[in-house]
Amino acid sequence: MKIGTIDIEQPIVLAPMEDVTDPSFRRLCKRFGADVVYTEFVSSEGLVRGAAKSMRKIKVFDDERPVAIQIFGNQTEAMVEAALIAEAANPDFIDINYGCPAKQVAGRGAGSGLLCTPNLMEDITAAVVKAVKLPVTAKTRIGWDDKSISILDTVKRLENCGIQALTIHGRTRAQMFKGVANWEWIARAKEIASIPIIGNGDIWNATDVPKRFIETGVDGVMVGRGAIGNPFIFREAKYLMQTGEALPPPTHREKIDVAMTHLKMSIEWKGEKYGVLEMRRHYSSYLKGLPNVSKVREFVVRENDWRLIIERLNEFADECDKHWTDGTFDQFAETLNDHSKKWQPDYAAY
Ligand SMILES: Cc1cc2nc3c(=O)[nH]c(=O)nc-3n(C[C@H](O)[C@H](O)[C@H](O)COP(=O)(O)O)c2cc1C
C-alpha cells in the first residue's frame, strides 16, 4: 500500500481512538508491529484557536512513524488552517475524519455528519489536499443509515479530490458501534476504488486480519478496539501472515508487564495524575481472564499512586505464577484470550 513515500505491503494499522491512541499507546503498538498509527481526532477549531489540549494531541515522535494526524470539522477554512498547523507538526500524512458518529460531532455536521452534505465534504477535502504538501487520506463509514449506504459514491468523490487512501469502517452512522461491521461493502468499495482502501471494523483476533485481506482484497486492515489492552494482536497477526502459524498467546507475565510499561509511558506523557487516570480504561483488557482478577482490577482502577499500582500488579503476577504451577490456571483459559467482548466507547467523552 502506498501513501506518498510510505510503501508497506499489507499494513496492519492502529485505528485513531480518542483518549486511547495517545503517544504512549501508539508507541507501544508500534513496538508490537503496528505498521501505521494515527493520533486521536483533533478539532480543527481547537487547532485554529491554538488550544493547548488540541496542540498537544498533534505532537508526534520519530519512533512511531509512519504516523498520521487526524483532524475533524465542517468549516472549509478552519479545516485548511488546521491541516497547515498539523502539517507543521511533521506527521507522515494528514487524515480527515468523516466517520465520527458522536452527537457532539456528527450532529453539528462534522465527522460522519458530512455524509449528509457530500458537496461540502468534497469542498473540504479538495481544499485541504490543495493546501498541504503532505499526503491526505480520509476515514469514513459506509453511509448514514442502512437506507443511505453511500460508500461507493464517497469513494469516487474523495478520490477525485486527490486523497491518497481511504479507510472504511463497515458500519453506518446510525449503527454507532452496534451490530457487526459489513465487510461486503468494504469489498465492493475496494473493487471500484483507484486508491488504497483500508478496511476497518471488528478485528478482534489475529486470525481476523489475514481473513479480511483474503476475502476483500483490501490494501490495509485497521484494528481499533481489538488492540485496547491487547497490543499483542499486531505481533500475532504479523506472524500469522508471515508464517501461516499462530504464535502462542502472551503469558500472564507478559500481559501484566506490558500493562506496567504502558502505565509508565502514560505517566511520562501526561504526568502522574492524568497518566494514572487515563490508564484506567486499559486495565480490564490487559487483565481479562486472569485468575481472581476482580480484586486487583478494582484496586488499580481506583488507586491514584502509580507506585502502589505497580506493586499490586507485581504481586498479582506472582499470584498468577502460583496458579500456573499448581495447574489451576487452565480453568481460566477459556476467556483468557477472547477479546471479542465488545469494548464500548464512552459517548460522553467521545
Ligand atoms: C474509544 C474510541 C474512540 C474513537 N475515536 C476515534 C477517532 O478519534 N477518530 C476516528 O476516526 N475514529 C475513532 N474511533 C473509531 C475507530 O477508529 C474504529 O473505526 C472503530 O472502533 C471500529 O473499529 P474496531 O471495530 O476495530 O474497533 C474511536 C473508537 C473508539 C472505540
Side-chain angles (χ1 to χ4, degrees):
M1 182 183 81
K2 273 195 182 155
I3 299 175
T5 55
I6 303 162
D7 187 357
I8 306 172
E9 184 101 352
Q10 295 193 311
I12 310 172
V13 179
L14 173 66
M17 286 183 280
E18 193 187 23
D19 292 335
V20 176
T21 56
D22 67 359
S24 62
F25 190 58
R26 299 198 303 262
R27 290 156 104 183
L28 198 60
C29 289
K30 185 85 201 174
R31 287 186 199 169
F32 279 98
D35 290 302
V36 182
V37 300
Y38 289 62
T39 65
E40 55 192 298
F41 70 171
V42 192
S43 152
S44 53
E45 282 158 26
L47 287 176
V48 170
R49 266 190 283 116
K53 208 172 155 198
S54 303
M55 295 305 288
R56 207 170 145 70
K57 285 183 183 169
I58 62 171
K59 172 98 181 104
V60 298
F61 294 86
D62 279 338
D63 64 359
E64 58 173 325
R65 290 184 189 284
V67 53
I69 292 177
Q70 190 190 63
I71 56 173
F72 75 95
N74 67 349
Q75 303 290 321
T76 306
E77 233 174 84
M79 286 293 277
V80 164
E81 212 178 312
L84 289 166
I85 296 168
E87 184 171 54
N90 199 22
D92 295 277
F93 61 101
I94 294 185
D95 188 73
I96 309 179
N97 181 308
Y98 295 133
C100 178
K103 233 190 206 154
Q104 311 91 297
V105 175
R108 291 188 190 147
S112 65
L114 282 151
L115 295 175
C116 302
T117 51
N119 291 342
L120 177 58
M121 180 168 75
E122 270 180 294
D123 284 351
I124 291 174
T125 314
V128 168
V129 168
K130 190 164 166 232
V132 297
K133 293 188 191 69
L134 284 174
V136 176
T137 61
K139 177 167 177 286
T140 190
R141 291 185 173 229
I142 56 176
W144 181 258
D145 58 23
D146 59 4
K147 291 190 188 67
S148 57
I149 305 285
S150 52
I151 190 61
L152 302 183
D153 180 54
T154 305
V155 168
K156 285 295 148 196
R157 283 176 185 259
L158 293 181
E159 70 184 20
N160 287 339
C161 294
I163 63 163
Q164 299 205 18
L166 179 65
T167 301
I168 304 171
H169 175 191
R171 284 187 174 83
T172 61
R173 188 272 170 177
Q175 275 182 286
M176 308 293 273
F177 288 83
K178 294 194 201 92
V180 284
N182 184 327
W183 280 77
E184 276 161 33
W185 276 113
I186 298 176
R188 287 177 67 180
K190 168 62 198 166
E191 259 171 40
I192 62 143
S194 52
I195 51 171
I197 297 292
I198 303 171
N200 167 239
D202 297 342
I203 302 288
W204 296 109
N205 296 294
T207 47
D208 295 334
V209 177
K211 180 170 178 274
R212 293 312 189 183
F213 271 118
I214 293 164
E215 280 175 359
T216 64
V218 288
D219 302 277
V221 166
M222 178 182 273
V223 189
R225 292 162 296 170
I228 296 176
N230 184 32
F232 316 103
I233 194 170
F234 295 104
R235 176 178 72 188
E236 291 167 357
K238 279 246 140 111
Y239 190 83
L240 185 61
M241 288 182 45
Q242 279 159 8
T243 66
E245 308 211 339
L247 262 186
T251 62
H252 57 280
R253 269 273 159 207
E254 187 179 22
K255 288 181 178 199
I256 296 168
D257 280 350
V258 171
M260 292 192 290
T261 305
H262 191 170
L263 170 61
K264 287 176 192 161
M265 289 167 81
S266 180
I267 290 168
E268 254 170 48
W269 173 241
K270 297 197 182 95
E272 282 197 30
K273 184 173 170 200
Y274 291 104
V276 166
L277 282 180
E278 296 211 354
M279 255 314 275
R280 289 181 178 171
R281 69 183 62 232
H282 293 271
Y283 292 120
S284 54
S285 308
Y286 277 118
L287 303 176
K288 191 168 187 295
L290 296 179
N292 305 331
V293 70
S294 51
K295 274 203 183 125
V296 67
R297 197 173 45 217
E298 243 170 69
F299 180 84
V300 294
V301 298
R302 294 211 173 125
E303 181 53 55
N304 291 323
D305 185 338
W306 67 271
R307 294 163 203 85
L308 296 181
I309 296 174
I310 296 276
E311 198 180 292
R312 185 67 190 93
L313 287 172
N314 272 319
E315 267 171 31
F316 183 57
D318 292 341
E319 290 162 23
C320 288
D321 283 346
K322 275 188 215 133
H323 282 285
W324 190 255
T325 45
D326 72 11
T328 52
F329 209 96
D330 281 355
Q331 62 183 283
F332 303 99
E334 214 167 278
T335 53
L336 194 55
N337 291 295
D338 175 13
H339 288 271
S340 62
K341 185 164 172 289
K342 301 205 171 44
W343 197 95
Q344 293 299 335
D346 169 3
Y347 289 117
Y350 176 37

